[in-house]
């Protein structure tokens, strides 16, 4: 922190001499706000159109501001589970009406206790529409809110777990992200799982490329996993779940934010 002065100089006849105008700049302390603003976002922009054999089906860049309580009306192409629905761990609930908003070009899921229930939110892409195979990309970051986490998953359109499941990224917000693929025909049996070095506290772009017989996982364009085991063959929908992580019930004082810069998915061209 402080003010600094600089100028151009050159060594002439063995002596340093000023050859430019004097300029100044100041450095201030970094903000400690718990809700990151546009200035903290990565410059990575949302892809559009056809990309290397993929045709975009749906995309959301969250350019419309939507205060808490108005997100559903502002973004009708994004579905959810309904306020008060129990989360996967049963330690908490989903509550989009109280927790989900949009500002500064991003969606914001506020993780916190509301009316005694540790709660988060859900974003269901393209209002529950499903497809077989596709490329799914999302840019995101989250605060290290102990007891909360997220799973971005592909889930059967039939809601029949025997068709399989693909999760990426997934984990508590205080842990590194991982991927998991569940075996079709054997609900709950993990066919493939792999960890990454990605932290939720950094901005990342996660991508799943699901094709016949193969799933490839990428973070920031670099492959972090792939599998030929457990690859589904039926239509799946894309769901982002943020709530309690199942390890323990979050303390009422704990809160944080999961921010989504953009999300998009494509079909094979």
């Amino acid at each position: 922190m402080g003010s600094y002065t600089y100028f151009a100089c050159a060594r002439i006849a063995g002596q340093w001499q000023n050859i430019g105008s004097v300029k100044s700049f100041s450095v201030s302390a970094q903000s400690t706000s718990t809700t990151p603003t546009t200035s903290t976002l990565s410059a990575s922009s949302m892809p559009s159109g056809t990309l290397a054999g993929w045709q975009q089906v749906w995309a959301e860049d969250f350019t419309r501001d939507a205060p808490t309580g108005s997100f559903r009306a502002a973004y009708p192409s994004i579905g959810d589970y309904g306020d008060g629905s129990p989360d996967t761990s049963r330690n908490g609930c989903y509550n989009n009406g109280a927790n989900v908003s949009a500002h500064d070009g991003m969606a914001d899921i506020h993780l916190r206790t509301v009316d005694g229930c540790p709660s988060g939110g859900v974003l269901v892409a393209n209002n529950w529409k499903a497809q077989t195979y596709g490329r799914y990309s999302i840019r995101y970051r989250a605060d290290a809110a102990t007891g909360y986490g997220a799973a971005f998953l592909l889930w059967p359109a039939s809601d029949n777990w025997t068709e399989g499941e693909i999760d990426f990224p997934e984990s508590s917000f205080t842990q590194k992200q991982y991927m998991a693929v569940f075996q079709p025909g054997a609900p709950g049996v993990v066919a493939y799982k792999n960890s990454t070095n990605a932290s939720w506290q950094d901005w990342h772009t996660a991508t799943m490329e699901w094709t016949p017989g193969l799933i490839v996982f990428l973070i920031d364009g670099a492959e972090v996993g792939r599998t030929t085991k457990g690859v589904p063959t039926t239509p799946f929908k894309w769901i982002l779940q943020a709530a309690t992580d199942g390890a323990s019930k979050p303390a009422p004082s704990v809160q944080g934010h999961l921010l989504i810069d953009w999300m998009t998915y494509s079909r094979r061209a």
Side-chain angles (χ1 to χ4, degrees):
M1 297 181 293
S3 298
Y4 302 87
T5 300
Y6 68 97
F7 52 86
C9 60
R11 190 174 180 85
I12 302 174
Q15 295 184 341
W16 288 104
Q17 297 185 27
N18 180 5
I19 61 171
S21 59
V22 177
K23 298 182 179 180
S24 300
F25 68 94
S26 298
V27 177
S28 59
Q30 183 177 359
S31 170
T32 58
S33 171
T34 59
T35 304
T37 61
T38 306
S39 63
T40 66
L41 286 173
S42 165
S44 178
S45 58
M46 184 178 69
S48 62
T50 300
L51 175 66
W54 299 98
Q55 179 62 51
Q56 192 170 66
V57 172
W58 177 85
E60 184 53 69
D61 208 8
F62 301 107
T63 57
R64 300 180 301 281
D65 283 357
T68 302
S70 65
F71 185 86
R72 291 183 176 111
Y75 292 92
S77 73
I78 295 179
D80 63 74
Y81 293 164
D83 296 343
S85 300
D87 63 18
T88 302
S89 77
R90 304 288 171 167
N91 283 330
C93 55
Y94 299 108
N95 194 334
N96 278 35
N99 294 329
V100 181
S101 63
H103 59 83
D104 301 308
M106 56 191 173
D108 184 342
I109 300 179
H110 194 177
L111 292 308
R112 58 178 180 150
T113 296
V114 177
D115 296 330
C117 186
S119 61
V122 177
L123 306 181
V124 185
N126 202 12
N127 204 18
W128 301 92
K129 290 183 173 61
Q131 65 180 27
T132 305
Y133 310 123
R135 186 180 195 272
Y136 303 80
S137 290
I138 184 167
R139 188 158 186 83
Y140 58 94
R141 74 164 298 280
D143 296 324
T146 302
Y148 291 98
F152 303 173
L153 66 148
L154 292 174
W155 178 256
S158 65
D159 290 325
N160 187 343
W161 201 13
T162 63
E163 296 177 20
E165 177 184 350
I166 306 170
D167 298 353
F168 179 67
E170 180 178 11
S171 75
S172 302
F173 289 143
T174 55
Q175 299 176 342
K176 301 298 185 182
Q177 300 164 27
Y178 65 84
M179 67 216 66
V181 178
F182 291 84
Q183 183 66 46
V189 175
V190 177
Y192 174 77
K193 186 175 182 179
N194 193 34
S195 298
T196 77
N197 290 320
S199 166
W200 290 94
Q201 284 69 70
D202 299 318
W203 280 101
H204 290 294
T205 300
T207 300
M208 296 181 284
E209 293 185 346
W210 170 33
T211 57
L214 176 67
I215 309 168
V216 177
F217 303 91
L218 306 100
I219 289 183
D220 302 328
E223 183 176 321
V224 292
R226 66 168 52 210
T227 183
T228 58
K229 298 178 180 179
V231 180
T233 59
T234 56
F236 276 40
K237 50 199 173 187
W238 191 27
I239 304 172
L240 184 165
Q241 298 179 160
T244 63
D245 63 11
S248 61
K249 190 172 183 177
S253 60
V254 174
Q255 61 176 305
H257 296 263
L258 170 62
L259 303 177
I260 309 298
D261 187 2
W262 50 260
M263 52 193 302
T264 179
Y265 74 84
S266 305
R267 60 174 173 79
R268 294 201 300 167

